[in-house]
Amino acid sequence: MEDEVFITKNSYSSLYRFLDERVQDFNFEKKLIISNQEAIKHAVIEGIGISIMSKVSVEVEIKAGLIKALEIEDYNLTRDINLVYDRRKYITPAGHEFFQLLELEI
């Protein structure tokens, strides 16, 4: 796997920093930096290299048979994300429903 081109976002992205902290054992000599997640998926589809992405972000491509996903064992690749919003703004009923869907309390 280390002979593959590793396709990732730049070092300023949260995903790059997250992976850099958790997956230090991988030593990819060839890297391709692409700033857009859709472009990364297309590069993988075209056979340019491999990438690490969330399963949700590639589920359409997996179902279409364009991308094959492999589980990465022995690594904790879960991360926390935050929903941010302007507290001064009115939250619509649809917004409240969305927060409930995410199990958030405002």
Side-chain angles (χ1 to χ4, degrees):
M1 190 166 81
E2 292 175 350
D3 293 334
E4 295 282 347
V5 174
F6 184 64
I7 306 168
T8 186
K9 290 185 173 184
N10 64 34
S11 61
Y12 299 109
S13 77
S14 62
L15 178 61
Y16 183 97
R17 291 190 310 272
F18 173 80
L19 292 174
D20 192 47
E21 291 173 8
R22 298 216 172 41
V23 191
Q24 297 169 350
D25 298 349
F26 296 144
N27 184 23
F28 293 99
E29 292 189 22
K30 298 178 268 181
K31 291 183 182 176
L32 176 60
I33 307 298
I34 299 177
S35 62
N36 179 287
Q37 187 165 305
E38 288 298 314
I40 291 172
K41 290 192 285 187
H42 287 286
V44 170
I45 291 168
E46 293 300 322
I48 294 171
I50 63 174
S51 189
I52 297 176
M53 304 178 90
S54 72
K55 190 180 284 186
V56 171
S57 69
V58 292
E59 74 183 353
V60 169
E61 291 80 2
I62 291 170
K63 286 180 183 176
L66 298 171
I67 289 178
K68 181 175 181 176
L70 302 173
E71 293 291 327
I72 300 174
E73 298 177 358
D74 301 325
Y75 289 94
N76 178 10
L77 295 179
T78 58
R79 66 179 177 161
D80 294 328
I81 59 172
N82 297 297
L83 174 69
V84 296
Y85 65 96
D86 185 342
R87 284 188 154 292
R88 298 170 296 176
K89 301 286 182 179
Y90 170 76
I91 299 173
T92 65
H96 281 283
E97 290 294 322
F98 180 67
F99 289 164
Q100 286 181 344
L101 179 68
L102 296 175
E103 299 180 359
L104 298 176
E105 189 173 317
I106 55 170

